[in-house]
Amino acid sequence: MQYEVKILEPTDLWYLQNNINKETNKFYHPTKNIPFVQQVEIRLENSGVVIQKGALHRCVGKLTHGVYKTDNRLRDVWVSLMTEVDYNAPVYKGSGNVYLEPRGKGQFLHYTAIDISEQEQWEFDDGIFQFCSDNVILGTKKLKFRQMAGSSDGRWRIAIKALNGQRARVVTGTSAITKIIEIHRGETVIADYDFVKGFTSGIQEDYRKLGHFGKGGGEGYVWIYEGEGRLLVSENDGMGLG
């Protein structure tokens, strides 16, 4: 599974009809909005992809479509032990191209590809998951009340794990650029905002107040991550830097 994020611009005829000089005003015009569009193209070669619900724009090639499903016994055991609910999503298999719904200017996303080993289980904030290879087990994890109170994720998060003996790939989409960091035992990550967008199963997440009886240093409630594993983080989330 390979993918490419494309930025599509208007045709030459559009520029002509709107009386815009393409050479000098391609990216900005003082009075008219130039409708650039972002679209993800996924290329499959005898492979499969699971995409976010409602994300399909079109697909072309020798492809079959269905609903995500893996070995029932393995799936049911894993879902019952590690998650609360199975995850229902469209899957496309074969050879060809799958195109996701285009996004207009102002709604562009930053995409991050994460390789998942068989020892890892990733948990992602709501809306972060975009698509992944089909050799995975998907489920959802229910958030604690304090986690729900401190975020806009709702009640559930998506949990993803590679099939036994295989490596999988998942692609996330966020409004701000992200990167992967690693922490080890004894290390702690503390953030006063939604800094972490996803983490592996060796990480413990908590949303709690720093200090007691008003002696918290003025920070109030913060996100705290401890343990050992990898985190998907966004340092400039909320800064308006894109």
Side-chain angles (χ1 to χ4, degrees), residues 60-85:
V60 180
K62 296 181 178 179
L63 298 167
T64 60
H65 62 87
V67 177
Y68 155 76
K69 180 172 69 171
T70 186
D71 175 76
N72 286 330
R73 182 178 60 82
L74 178 61
R75 180 188 61 185
D76 293 342
V77 169
W78 184 81
V79 168
S80 65
L81 291 177
M82 306 302 294
T83 67
E84 284 79 19
V85 178

Side-chain angles (χ1 to χ4, degrees), residues 47-221:
S47 57
V49 62
V50 182
I51 67 174
Q52 180 67 276
K53 302 172 186 177
L56 178 70
H57 185 253
R58 68 185 189 276
C59 59
V60 180
K62 296 181 178 179
L63 298 167
T64 60
H65 62 87
V67 177
Y68 155 76
K69 180 172 69 171
T70 186
D71 175 76
N72 286 330
R73 182 178 60 82
L74 178 61
R75 180 188 61 185
D76 293 342
V77 169
W78 184 81
V79 168
S80 65
L81 291 177
M82 306 302 294
T83 67
E84 284 79 19
V85 178
D86 195 2
Y87 187 75
N88 228 357
V91 59
Y92 297 85
K93 296 184 178 183
S95 297
N97 295 336
V98 177
Y99 299 85
L100 302 187
E101 284 284 358
R103 293 179 171 272
K105 192 164 59 176
Q107 299 177 331
F108 288 5
L109 294 179
H110 294 272
Y111 292 90
T112 304
I114 303 173
D115 291 322
I116 304 177
S117 66
E118 61 175 318
Q119 294 85 16
E120 288 183 323
Q121 173 189 311
W122 276 87
E123 184 177 326
F124 295 106
D125 285 358
D126 185 38
I128 300 298
F129 168 75
Q130 299 298 310
F131 58 93
C132 65
S133 54
D134 66 337
N135 59 337
V136 297
I137 304 172
L138 283 168
T140 58
K141 294 193 71 174
K142 188 176 181 180
L143 296 180
K144 299 176 183 177
F145 176 77
R146 281 191 298 181
Q147 292 172 311
M148 288 188 286
S151 70
S152 58
D153 293 334
R155 295 185 60 193
W156 307 93
R157 286 183 181 157
I158 290 181
I160 301 179
K161 184 178 178 67
L163 287 176
N164 189 32
Q166 299 186 35
R167 294 184 67 88
R169 169 169 282 194
V170 60
V171 177
T172 63
T174 52
S175 58
I177 194 168
T178 59
K179 67 178 182 180
I180 295 175
I181 64 172
E182 189 170 350
I183 64 172
H184 305 281
R185 295 210 173 274
E187 296 180 332
T188 302
V189 172
I190 302 176
D192 197 25
Y193 66 102
D194 193 12
F195 172 69
V196 176
K197 305 300 183 181
F199 54 89
T200 55
S201 53
I203 304 292
Q204 292 81 48
E205 178 191 63
D206 196 7
Y207 182 70
R208 64 175 184 260
K209 193 172 185 179
L210 282 183
H212 301 282
F213 306 110
K215 300 182 181 295
E219 294 299 338
Y221 282 89

